[in-house]
Amino acid sequence: MAGTLRPEQAEIILNYSGGKVGIAAVPGSGKTFTLAQLAARLIYDRRIGPEQEVLIVTFTNSAVNSFQARIARTLRGQYGLLPFVGYRVRTLHGLAHDIVRERPALVGLADDFAILDEKLALEIQRDIVTQRLPEWWDRMSGYLDPENDSKGARRAFEQDLPDLVIRFIKYAKDQRQTPEALLAALHKVDERYDLARFAANVYADYQRSLAYRGAVDFDDLVRLALDALERDERYLHRLRQRWPYILEDEAQDSSRLQEDMLRLLSGDRNWVRVGDPNQAINTTFTTANPRYLLRFLEQPQVAERPLSVSGRSAAPIVSLANELVRWTVQDHPVPDLRDAFEYQPERRRGTLRGLIQVTGPDDPQPNPLSEDSPIKLIYRPDRKLSPEKEREIIVSGQEFSLREWLDEMSDLPEGEQPTVAVLVPENSTGFKLVELLRHHEIPYEELLRSTTATRETVLLIQKILEYLSDPADLKQLKLLYWALLPDDQRDTVNATPELRQTLSKVFARWNNIEDFLWPTLGDRDLELDGIPEGYAWLQEDLAIFRQRLQRWLKATSLPVDQLVLTVAQDIFDQPVDVALGYKIAVLLRSVSQSHPEWRLAQFVEELRLISGNERRFIGFDDAEAGYEPKPGVVTVATMHAAKGLEWDRVYLLAVSSYGFPSAQPYDSYIGEKWYTRGSYNRLVMRLNLEAEAAAQLEALVNGNSDSYTEGDATLRARLDYSEERLRLLYVGITRAKRELVVSWNMGRFWQKGKEQENFPALPLVVLGERVEQGGLWE
């Protein structure tokens, strides 16, 4: 195996003998591979006993499945061992669930405690905000700008307030603060703390609602798991014996609770933490912070090991990423943003940090050749692009467009065609891009919150199950018939008044739906009068519709996954849709095992979340083994979702001052809503209410209420957000292997009651000047 490893990887995998190790990895250095190999090696070397496991903690469910697949392959193929023995891979919440479920009485829970579904938890919190707001309106309205339209401002505020409170509650739980403790502290402070006071009252009502149900939510799990470990030394000792080695992935996104839990479980002994502080993109309004990893690396008893060599990207792209980091740390015009990145280009304690090194001549995974790697920054100060024009240029323009590039690549054998992605700052931009790709008949896949094809397929199955859950509902029957009509027939009905009238008369005859579903006189009830000439298909179509309903209603006695398969076989004929139907069945079977008491109506609600794009469809994001880009197919993803992935060519869209601010006077910030007032001390023109609420909470937790000054948190949030967006741009750049295209649009947003234009993001301007001057990569 040593011949396939870089020296940095071999040092970690082959020479680890225990203790605390910190690894600051760069993009493309193989940190997942290295951790998976280390876990397998510990098992192979018999560092664990028969009743012990290597514990791997990672950030997402897809990463859990990827780690499991990698470790299993290594154990079976490389070492000839059983593939699923000797290790456990969990997210933080999954680990917390294991700990609490084993000893629920330690934290005051019944053995049969429930974990509240995410959807229901959010609904409860939103409902409480809506119920509470009228009695609090006199206080809360004080945060609105009196110069704005009162009705519109109130409407927007009422719409956004639940999200603010939901994040406040999550933040409070991350700080291990109970509503009782917060309310007691709030009795001692004045009206400056009204945001926190309102949110804490909602928090108290929400926790009472959970207690009434005998349930906890996902955010409670981590807090309660830590409570359990602190309360019972014998239980903690037993878990330490069970997991003698802990490997932590994505440690740059670790929170205080995660660090405290893993420190307890490891006994501060055999603990390996891997992460890239420069890819910390989940820190805004959470307790996650890369400083936890950086402080760990600085501890004298921690052995720091580098993963600084990357063969992912061509040298010019590596130079661009390194220059973004160097410029930010050394030359950014706002000194407070110069700590956005960790950058140690000179060896310190024997390691480098924040500097990507290209591979050596004998590396098993060398960088792509430089001459095949153009970098195109579509930026000129005198050229203003609308968002629509930017998307058109990227999709079908004359230079560097997807259409031109894919046409050039089409002659290559299928296995040799390169991969390509368009990365966007947020989902809404991605949805619009997908529509344009569809218009130009360019093949694509989505890694947005859920794909368009997924949402449409799930919506159709949802409508069928919704009707089957209440088959006496005539309105749902009509909606279902309309949803099942092919597009061309639906267009025909819309364009033909006589046909619409005929259908209305048909459904009006079936006040008793059983007369339609189970007729006693054969098919005579479907003999339709007055069908316009040329539309005889209608009668046959209604007969098929009835036959399907009869079959589906009989299938409702089956388990939900078999019901879905029965439906999917009847309505889908395209392989991709059949496959989606199968995945929906698998998902609902898994849900039914977790919720055996659920009826059909609850499964309909689960599908409504997916079709409404409120929840990522587990199983449609290739979570089982990790997403693999398909050659010749455009991947559309947010930059957040693209982390950990790579493509031959990458487009970064909408790199503007609104999406990537740099604390410049002309920058605007998504968190400062148009309807809010400024601070009373005139520090800011628009308060960021989420930031202000979090700052109020922080002051209460620290027992120093005088430390809160209105507006300070808004200013700090600007810097925090700007830092995170600089790191997000770095993540986007380092997804590209061979070619990179970066663009911006002037866009428009509302500020101070007026429509304003975007500017190019400051890093794009600076790097664009480097290109014009022939620097770095040309």
Side-chain angles (χ1 to χ4, degrees), residues 309-329:
V309 177
S310 173
R312 170 185 292 166
S313 304
I317 296 172
V318 171
S319 294
L320 178 63
N322 284 337
E323 175 62 9
L324 173 62
V325 173
R326 187 212 63 77
W327 170 79
T328 301
V329 172

Side-chain angles (χ1 to χ4, degrees), residues 590-630:
S590 174
V591 172
S592 69
Q593 291 169 349
S594 301
H595 300 278
E597 77 285 358
W598 273 22
R599 312 286 292 178
L600 198 54
Q602 279 81 37
F603 293 112
V604 171
E605 286 300 315
E606 183 70 14
L607 292 182
R608 181 175 285 115
L609 280 177
I610 299 166
S611 65
N613 202 31
E614 295 178 44
R615 179 180 296 165
R616 181 94 182 207
F617 188 0
I618 299 171
F620 283 11
D621 58 356
D622 293 273
E624 292 90 347
Y627 174 75
E628 288 292 335
K630 293 182 175 59

Side-chain angles (χ1 to χ4, degrees), residues 384-401:
K384 293 184 177 181
L385 297 178
S386 67
E388 296 78 14
K389 185 62 176 176
E390 179 194 28
R391 291 192 292 269
E392 281 286 354
I393 288 174
I394 294 302
V395 171
S396 59
Q398 294 183 349
E399 279 191 292
F400 293 94
S401 72

Side-chain angles (χ1 to χ4, degrees), residues 347-368:
R347 291 191 179 275
R348 181 169 170 267
R349 296 181 66 183
T351 63
L352 303 173
R353 290 189 203 162
L355 181 69
I356 306 173
Q357 299 188 92
V358 296
T359 58
D362 299 323
D363 195 281
Q365 297 176 328
N367 301 88

